[in-house]
Amino acid sequence: MSSPHSRLRTEWCPSIPRELMAGAVATFALIPEVIAFSFVAGVDPAVGLFASFVISVVIAFTGGRPAMVSAAAGSVALVAAPLVHAHGLPYLLAAGVLAGVMQILFGLLRLGVLMRFVSTSVRTGFVNALAILIFAAQMPHFIGANTATWAMVGLGLAIIYLLPRITKAVPSPLVCIVVVTLAGHWLNLPLKTVADLGQLPDALPAFAWLSVPMSLETLRIIALPAFAIAMVGLLESMMTASVVDDLTDTPSSKNRECSGLGIANVAASFFGGIAGCGMIGQTVSNVRYGGRGRLSTLFAGAFLLILMVLLKPWVSQVPVAALVAIMVMVSASTFDWGSLRTLVRHPRMSSAVMLATVAVTVATDNLAAGVATGVMLSGVFFTFKVARLLHVHAEAGAGDDGVRVYRVSGQVFFASADMLVDAFDVREIDGAPVHIDVSQAHFWDVTAVAALNKIVERLRKHGSMVEVSGLNQASQDLILRLDTAPE
């Protein structure tokens, strides 16, 4: 049995040099995406950078998945954008606090298990819809753009996709930023820069109370956005945690990750940052470069703030075209292109769930609405398929003295109960004795038990002697608990 010290070392820093290097790589991969997603959310880069620093540091202690990188980016930025545009940053910070509280309760109530009900089709639809929304958010930069902007976006994409074929020692998005910035400066091109998007941080984040009225009207404004932020953040974080579980062959505490993310989002909001979630790309980079413990996550956040404060003059000159190129790459790499090929091979219902998730998400700009639709359809389709597995086989005169034997097999519940009742036609039975064999069936709910009683009562009313046999123990217990056993 390992000692508490060895467990603590394994969880925090299996190898300090490797943890620091992996955290630094994750930071460099995080910088351009945080700035770009801050723009997508409609907030100053400082808001996203402060939040990413706070979230990474806090979740390093409170999260349930070591080596996982969380920050103020990803799908949460897309959910946050409408609230920012309609009511401003103060209401977004209030929504971040409320979303964090929801996530804390989600973890404390051990509801992380609910993520198991999100099917693969819904997850694929979620990812594809996220990719489409990210790309759509870049369209305003292309519409009416000058030639220099188009050229720099093309140069950025070329660097991003071609450099990894030569070397992967340096993240290609970071090289894209450096080269496009230098090219724009030397050629004196008319390009929008990060400085045009908003204020960058020049000091450490400071704690501040929320500056919105504490009223029911405020709650009405932030309630739905907060719920969307909470659910989308949880879904993306759980998906990221599962990826790390697979990469490292180690388990994680999903419920602790839910609560940890909530604590981090509450803290980020009180320090002037937007809510965030797990970052799949940066987390994978961290793990692949050797990050296994919480130290890599902690260092990624701390190093991010150091770079932003020290390199503020340089970062402010980064052209927006470089960020657009990065976001186009993020969109293309996020989309599951293989899902297009499998649409015709997968069951039609599964494909329908995936397409419905994408369609609702894109139509509403609400990832939570798309996921909810997909989960609901998955449940309906699954229920429909299970209900169709119920079979009632009639054997006329198969028993002694002309007894009609009915053999029931499958699952009897609210969706299949009517099918069971319809299988017994009193006109055909015409008062003959009936034996109902349910040894291959299982009764799940009140509706199933009521259906069995309805059949027995109806047959007896028309003069038939009825015997029910083969109830398994679970079905017997349910019937006795309801006190409606057929006599």
Side-chain angles (χ1 to χ4, degrees):
M1 182 180 293
S2 58
S3 65
H5 181 268
S6 64
R7 288 198 300 270
L8 186 64
R9 180 179 177 83
T10 300
E11 186 174 338
W12 268 93
C13 48
S15 170
I16 293 179
R18 189 175 62 187
E19 291 291 305
L20 296 180
M21 185 190 77
V25 171
T27 301
F28 282 117
L30 194 63
I31 291 172
E33 201 164 324
V34 169
I35 296 175
F37 269 113
S38 297
F39 177 74
V40 169
V43 299
D44 290 343
V47 177
L49 294 168
F50 279 161
S52 298
F53 161 70
V54 174
I55 291 172
S56 294
V57 171
V58 172
I59 209 166
F61 294 92
T62 63
R65 175 63 265 179
M68 181 168 151
V69 178
S70 297
S75 53
V76 171
L78 295 168
V79 176
L83 181 61
V84 176
H85 295 155
H87 299 283
L89 179 61
Y91 283 87
L92 176 60
L93 300 182
V97 172
L98 182 57
V101 171
M102 292 178 182
Q103 291 168 337
I104 293 171
L105 293 175
F106 198 90
L108 292 178
L109 295 175
R110 308 185 69 81
L111 297 178
V113 68
L114 293 179
M115 290 300 169
R116 297 177 183 175
F117 293 95
V118 181
S119 67
T120 300
S121 298
V122 176
R123 294 179 186 180
T124 302
F126 171 86
V127 169
N128 289 345
L130 173 60
I132 293 172
L133 291 180
I134 292 173
F135 185 81
Q138 311 313 308
M139 287 298 98
H141 301 293
F142 290 108
I143 299 174
N146 56 35
T147 303
T149 299
W150 281 95
M152 289 300 100
V153 171
L155 175 61
L157 288 171
I159 293 171
I160 289 171
Y161 284 107
L162 296 179
L163 182 62
R165 298 184 179 184
I166 302 172
T167 177
K168 295 183 179 179
V170 182
S172 60
L174 188 63
V175 177
C176 163
I177 285 182
V178 173
V179 173
V180 172
T181 301
L182 292 177
H185 178 72
W186 286 340
L187 299 176
N188 196 27
L189 298 175
L191 300 171
K192 288 185 178 181
T193 64
V194 170
D196 299 322
L197 302 180
Q199 183 67 32
L200 286 171
D202 54 10
L204 294 174
F207 180 87
W209 291 108
L210 300 177
S211 57
V212 295
M214 297 300 169
S215 63
L216 290 177
E217 177 62 18
T218 297
L219 183 61
R220 183 192 66 80
I221 293 173
I222 68 173
L224 287 180
F227 180 76
I229 290 171
M231 293 301 104
V232 169
L234 286 173
L235 180 61
E236 190 155 351
S237 292
M238 292 302 97
M239 291 172 61
T240 304
S242 297
V243 169
V244 181
D245 291 350
D246 294 338
L247 289 175
T248 61
D249 293 325
T250 57
S252 61
S253 172
K254 301 300 188 296
N255 290 315
R256 180 178 174 182
E257 184 63 34
C258 293
S259 295
L261 179 64
I263 295 171
N265 282 333
V266 170
S269 299
F270 278 119
F271 277 91
I274 66 176
C277 61
M279 302 285 290
I280 294 180
Q282 286 67 26
T283 297
V284 172
S285 296
N286 183 40
V287 172
R288 287 180 176 171
Y289 278 92
R292 292 294 184 274
R294 297 179 182 273
L295 180 61
S296 60
T297 304
L298 177 64
F299 187 69
F303 193 45
L304 171 66
L305 187 65
I306 293 172
L307 289 178
M308 286 300 95
V309 173
L310 295 180
L311 301 182
K312 175 187 174 182
W314 182 83
V315 173
S316 64
Q317 300 305 311
V318 173
V320 173
L323 304 183
V324 171
I326 292 170
M327 297 311 295
V328 170
M329 177 274 295
V330 170
S331 172
S333 60
T334 300
F335 195 90
D336 185 355
W337 298 99
S339 64
L340 298 179
R341 295 190 301 270
T342 58
L343 269 177
V344 295
R345 297 204 310 266
H346 284 177
R348 285 179 295 178
M349 289 184 181
S350 297
S351 296
V353 168
M354 191 273 283
L355 293 174
T357 302
V358 173
V360 172
T361 300
V362 173
T364 63
D365 274 344
N366 190 328
L367 287 155
V371 171
T373 300
V375 170
M376 181 186 68
L377 286 178
S378 294
V380 171
F381 289 157
F382 175 77
T383 300
F384 177 71
K385 287 189 289 187
V386 173
R388 291 177 62 186
L389 297 177
L390 178 70
H391 298 287
V392 180
H393 181 61
E395 301 175 1
D400 296 335
D401 300 325
V403 175
R404 294 179 63 93
V405 179
Y406 287 82
R407 304 191 188 279
V408 182
S409 62
Q411 311 303 314
V412 188
F413 61 115
F414 64 90
S416 61
D418 286 343
M419 296 171 59
L420 178 64
V421 173
D422 292 341
F424 291 83
D425 190 340
V426 294
R427 293 169 300 180
E428 291 183 1
I429 297 173
D430 194 25
V434 175
H435 177 207
I436 305 175
D437 180 4
V438 295
S439 58
Q440 301 300 316
H442 188 96
F443 291 78
W444 287 98
D445 54 19
V446 175
T447 307
V449 175
L452 181 60
N453 281 314
K454 183 177 182 179
I455 293 168
V456 172
E457 291 172 2
R458 181 181 293 176
L459 291 173
R460 288 176 176 171
K461 181 180 178 181
H462 287 78
S464 295
M465 296 291 293
V466 183
E467 178 186 5
V468 179
S469 68
L471 281 168
N472 60 32
Q473 189 61 50
S475 299
Q476 289 184 44
D477 291 343
L478 174 63
I479 291 173
L480 291 175
R481 190 162 64 247
L482 298 173
D483 195 25
T484 58
E487 298 179 356

